Amino acid sequence: MMASTVKKPLLGATVLTFSIFIAIVLFPPLHPFSQAPISLDSPRLERPEIWSVRRLVDWRPCNWWLQHNFSALPDGTNGYIRVDCYGGLNQMRRDLCDGVGIARLLNATLVLPKFEVAAYWNESSDFSDIFDVDYFINQLDGFVKVVKELPAEIASKEPFRVDCSKRKGVFDYVENVLPSLLEHHYIAITPAMSQRRDRYPLHAKAAFCQGCYNALRLVGSLEKKASDLLQTIPKPFLSLHLRFEPDMVAYSQCDYPNLSSSSLKAIEAARGDRKPWTGEAARIWRNRGKCPLTPNETGIILKALSIPTNTNIYLAAGDGMMELEGLSSVYTNVVTKSGLIKGEDFTKMHGNTKAALDYYVSINSNAYVATYFGNMDKMVAAMRALKGLDRTLFLKRKDYSVLFSQGLVGKELEDALWKVHRDDYVMGKGSALPDCFCEEKI
């Protein structure tokens, strides 16, 4: 009897000690976004602010890239490649990154890229209007040859256009592009998304990584404007990339019957031939995570993550954002670049310039949250990993839709949302592109 009475308290003490240890590991003292430290008996221990959770995995630049553990650049060249970039700034940045890797793969000299002049994006900027050309060339020294001007015997010619558009199967640049480069000596390409970079030799991957993450610096005047904007944002702050513009919703083919009449009209005007899914097909589509989160849904998830409603939020978003009051009625400290930059300066900006400001602010923010996983989000996440900034999170549209369709509401929904996002944050999922970054246990 005496033995049994001694063992019970010891077991209880062991369990309590283990519980305290787990709490300390998972919930260390809160970061600046948190309002108060978490005590073990606090009701907030159940769902603390997401940034207070200690991560187990981080992503950092791979040593083989940073330490130049790859073959040297050959003396000769197989010809000249110009990368023609289309779309918004971050889509063009993605194509340019690929182009740097392709040029090294084919032992070609890279000509400064051509940025599309696009009325749709309110855009007429070229590469040199956005990025520092000399810095770009200097940073790529030893990775790939880059020239501002072509040799006289080639400069008068238009490049031979090589189609690299999406195809079934893997598009092989050595097999499909190198013969044209050797024949014509000067070609223009828009990279194909179907090529797998994990098949690149290490020197081509290194060129891609260097071009993407170390060689692209904003031109001086634009970087100053971005820095000035950053200084005006109340600190600390969260940069939120919220995608709920009419064209984005129209492209998704999702139905949102409860929006305002003005929003519904804007979406309908942008739809064209893309009609929304209906009935069971619409439910399946939404539960696959294909529908952009509304500002209201975004606010629900942020609250579920225990992000305080007085958090300073910089809205990194394009023009024409709809239903913003669904977020700003809950998170009252939301600022935008149009509200922080003087009216005339803002109206003179093109699409690429505005996107560059959002990019700069987002990679330098205290935290970054995205409702989508597009070109900007991937690049920002990688740059933040490069800078050692780990408060980066992608909201899970699929999980939100599935949980909501299961009838979860209120605290039940919030608890479930917190758990799925916590698991992602702890393991560093989605924190960086895998091509140039390696997993690091913390």
Side-chain angles (χ1 to χ4, degrees), residues 23 27 30 36-46:
F27 310 123
L30 294 186
I38 298 173
S39 61
L40 290 177
D41 58 352
S42 168
R44 288 189 63 211
L45 180 61
E46 182 183 355

Side-chain angles (χ1 to χ4, degrees), residues 122-421:
N122 183 26
E123 189 49 60
S124 60
S125 306
D126 203 355
F127 177 78
S128 59
D129 298 319
I130 303 295
F131 298 111
D132 186 328
V133 171
D134 291 331
Y135 184 83
F136 179 72
I137 294 173
N138 290 336
Q139 287 295 309
L140 286 175
D141 184 36
F143 289 86
V144 67
K145 299 183 183 73
V146 185
V147 295
K148 292 182 182 180
E149 296 179 356
L150 290 161
E153 66 272 15
I154 296 178
S156 60
K157 302 176 183 177
E158 279 297 308
F160 179 78
R161 180 76 196 171
V162 180
D163 181 17
C164 300
S165 57
K166 287 185 181 180
R167 308 177 186 199
K168 289 184 178 179
V170 176
F171 184 84
D172 189 281
Y173 287 100
V174 174
E175 180 181 326
N176 298 96
V177 178
L178 183 57
S180 296
L181 177 66
L182 293 172
E183 179 183 352
H184 299 281
H185 306 295
Y186 179 30
I187 65 172
I189 65 169
T190 296
M193 289 301 294
S194 54
Q195 172 70 9
R196 289 174 52 184
R197 281 188 294 272
D198 60 359
R199 299 186 178 187
Y200 279 16
L202 213 55
H203 57 262
K205 285 181 67 176
F208 166 83
C209 298
Q210 183 73 1
C212 241
Y213 305 122
N214 275 345
L216 291 174
R217 183 174 73 181
L218 297 181
V219 70
S221 58
L222 184 54
E223 183 164 302
K224 184 182 184 307
K225 190 181 291 288
S227 178
D228 290 344
L229 172 61
L230 180 64
Q231 297 306 314
T232 65
I233 302 171
K235 311 293 187 304
F237 75 98
L238 179 153
S239 181
L240 174 64
H241 191 207
L242 180 58
R243 301 300 311 273
F244 203 69
E245 304 93 341
D247 60 312
M248 182 72 177
V249 176
Y251 183 82
S252 73
Q253 295 184 268
C254 297
D255 190 27
Y256 295 85
N258 298 322
L259 303 183
S260 66
S261 58
S262 59
S263 295
L264 292 173
K265 286 179 183 176
I267 295 168
E268 195 57 37
R271 278 206 192 278
D273 296 331
R274 292 182 176 274
K275 298 304 177 185
W277 296 102
T278 59
E280 181 64 10
R283 186 192 68 79
I284 294 172
W285 190 247
R286 186 173 292 275
N287 283 354
R288 287 175 60 192
K290 299 296 186 180
C291 298
L293 291 169
T294 67
N296 180 63
E297 291 169 338
T298 301
I300 290 172
I301 299 177
L302 293 181
K303 281 192 69 179
L305 302 181
S306 296
I307 294 175
T309 55
N310 64 350
T311 297
N312 298 312
I313 294 179
Y314 172 80
L315 193 64
D319 298 330
M321 180 63 58
M322 303 181 297
E323 307 288 315
L324 189 55
E325 62 278 2
L327 173 70
S328 59
S329 62
V330 178
Y331 285 85
T332 53
N333 295 331
V334 177
V335 297
T336 62
K337 53 185 173 293
S338 60
L340 295 172
I341 301 174
K342 292 181 180 179
E344 187 177 351
D345 284 347
F346 185 75
T347 55
K348 289 180 179 178
M349 290 183 189
H350 292 290
N352 280 351
T353 307
K354 293 177 182 178
L357 296 182
D358 283 341
Y359 169 79
Y360 183 92
V361 168
S362 294
I363 65 174
N364 290 289
S365 59
N366 299 95
Y368 180 73
V369 172
T371 63
Y372 196 65
F373 196 45
N375 294 312
M376 173 174 166
D377 308 302
K378 295 172 184 176
M379 194 68 67
V380 167
M383 288 300 296
R384 288 177 61 81
L386 187 68
K387 292 163 72 75
L389 301 173
D390 61 7
R391 289 183 227 163
T392 302
L393 193 65
F394 298 94
L395 302 189
K396 299 173 74 70
R397 294 175 295 170
K398 178 179 178 180
D399 289 270
Y400 176 85
S401 298
V402 170
L403 292 168
F404 188 78
S405 70
Q406 291 173 349
L408 271 65
V409 294
K411 185 177 182 301
E412 216 178 3
L413 176 61
E414 290 182 348
D415 287 345
L417 287 169
W418 190 87
K419 184 180 183 303
V420 296
H421 287 88

Side-chain angles (χ1 to χ4, degrees), residues 9-44:
L10 285 175
L11 178 61
T14 302
V15 170
L16 177 61
T17 301
F18 182 73
S19 299
I20 293 172
F21 171 76
I22 291 297
I24 291 172
V25 169
L26 285 181
F27 310 123
L30 294 186
H31 287 88
F33 285 151
S34 306
Q35 294 178 320
I38 298 173
S39 61
L40 290 177
D41 58 352
S42 168
R44 288 189 63 211

